[in-house]
Amino acid sequence: MGLLDDKVVLVNGGSQGVGAAVARAAVREGAVVAVSGRRREPGEALVAELSAAGGKAMYVQADLADAGQAKASVAAVVDAYGRIDCLVNSAGLTSRGTLLDTTPELFDAHIAVNLKGPFFAMQAAVADMTARKAPGTIVNVITSSAHGGQPFLAPYVAAKAGLAGLTRNAAHAHRWDRIRINGLNIGWTATEGEDATQRAFHGAGDDWREQAAARLPMGRLGRPDDIADFVVFLLSERSGVVTGSVIDWDQNVLGGLD
C-alpha cells in the first residue's frame, strides 16, 4: 500500500524478533530502513535479506544500553540519508528479578536498555525533526506488564512503566511540532528472545509455545508480523492525528475478571 513511501525509518533493536518484523514490514511499505543491534551477524543478515528483496536498508551496530550509542544510532541514519522520519524503539531486556532478589546491577541494566536507551534515541530523533521543522513519528514497543506484571518481572516493569510515561510526556511536549509519539503494550509474543528467556529462566522445553497457546484465549501467542503491521500503521499517516496513546495490544483484557 506504500504507507511509508520515501520515509527514513530507524528500528532500534531491529535485528531479530518484533524489531526485525517491523523492519520487513516497513520496507514492504516503501520505507528506507536502518536496523540497529548489538550483534553484527544477525543485523547484517537481515539487511542482506531486505536488500535482496529490493529494499533499501542499512545496519547500525549499537548497544542501546549505552546512551551515547543510542544517540549515535540516530546520527548514523541522519548522516547516511540526511534525515530521520520515523523511529521505533523495540530493544528490550527481559531477564528476571523480583523486588527481593533484584540487584542494583540488574535494575540498572533494565533501566539502561528499556528506558534510558529509548529516551536518548528519542531525544536525538526529535532534535533532527525539530531542527528541520519537519513532522515525524515514533513508536515505543512497551509491554502489557507495564500495568503491573508478574512478581518475577519487577525491574522490567519498573523500566517499561517509565517508558509508557515517557511516551505520553514526549508526545505532549512535541505535539505542536507535529511529532506523533505512541506506544504499544504488547502481550506474550513468540520471538527468538522469548524462546531463550523461557528456556533460561523457566526450564521450558521444545513444546513451550504449544503449552502456552493452550492457556490463551485466542489459542496462540502474539506474532511479530501482526505487531509489525500495527507499528507501521502508527508510523504512517493512516493513523491520523493520534499521539500520546499507549495501546494495549493483547488478548487479555485489563480490568476484566473471571
Side-chain angles (χ1 to χ4, degrees):
M1 295 175 63
L3 292 178
L4 298 177
D5 275 348
D6 300 320
K7 298 296 186 183
V8 177
V9 178
L10 169 61
V11 184
N12 276 330
S15 59
Q16 67 174 19
V18 170
V22 170
R24 293 185 182 101
V27 165
R28 286 196 302 271
E29 294 295 340
V32 175
V33 174
V35 295
S36 80
R38 291 182 297 112
R39 297 184 297 130
R40 181 175 295 276
E41 185 176 349
E44 291 185 339
L46 176 61
V47 166
E49 172 196 324
L50 297 175
S51 299
K56 189 172 182 180
M58 67 177 286
Y59 169 68
V60 179
Q61 187 163 16
D63 183 351
L64 273 296
D66 183 311
Q69 292 186 48
K71 294 174 69 172
S73 68
V74 175
V77 174
V78 174
D79 287 346
Y81 301 117
R83 69 186 196 278
I84 181 170
D85 299 308
C86 308
L87 170 66
V88 179
N89 285 310
S90 64
L93 178 66
T94 59
S95 51
R96 301 331 200 193
T98 70
L99 180 65
L100 295 179
D101 63 22
T102 294
T103 64
E105 293 77 16
L106 178 61
F107 184 86
D108 288 347
H110 275 273
I111 294 296
V113 175
N114 295 324
L115 179 56
K116 190 175 181 179
F119 185 106
F120 286 100
M122 290 170 64
Q123 181 188 81
V126 170
D128 173 71
M129 295 166 185
T130 55
R132 293 184 292 108
K133 294 181 169 49
T137 49
I138 297 173
V139 174
N140 292 318
V141 179
I142 312 177
T143 173
S144 58
S145 294
H147 293 297
Q150 297 97 323
F152 55 76
L153 293 178
Y156 177 67
V157 168
K160 287 290 195 176
L163 182 56
L166 172 63
T167 298
R168 298 184 181 97
N169 178 271
H172 176 73
H174 293 284
R175 68 198 192 282
W176 290 103
D177 296 314
R178 295 178 297 146
I179 298 170
R180 299 190 299 110
I181 304 172
N182 295 291
L184 275 188
N185 280 334
I186 65 172
W188 203 359
T189 306
T191 64
E192 301 98 315
E194 182 61 19
D195 181 69
T197 295
Q198 289 297 319
R199 294 175 187 274
F201 294 100
H202 302 287
D206 292 340
D207 64 343
W208 73 265
R209 294 178 186 82
E210 291 75 15
Q211 291 188 25
R215 304 197 302 270
L216 294 172
M218 305 300 167
R220 66 176 178 88
L221 280 77
R223 295 171 181 159
D225 288 349
D226 296 339
I227 297 168
D229 288 341
F230 203 88
V231 170
V232 165
F233 170 76
L234 287 174
L235 292 176
S236 77
E237 293 181 2
R238 286 294 297 275
S239 55
V241 298
V242 64
T243 193
S245 290
V246 178
I247 301 163
D248 289 335
W249 195 97
D250 198 5
Q251 57 191 295
N252 291 310
V253 180
L254 181 67
L257 298 173
D258 294 323

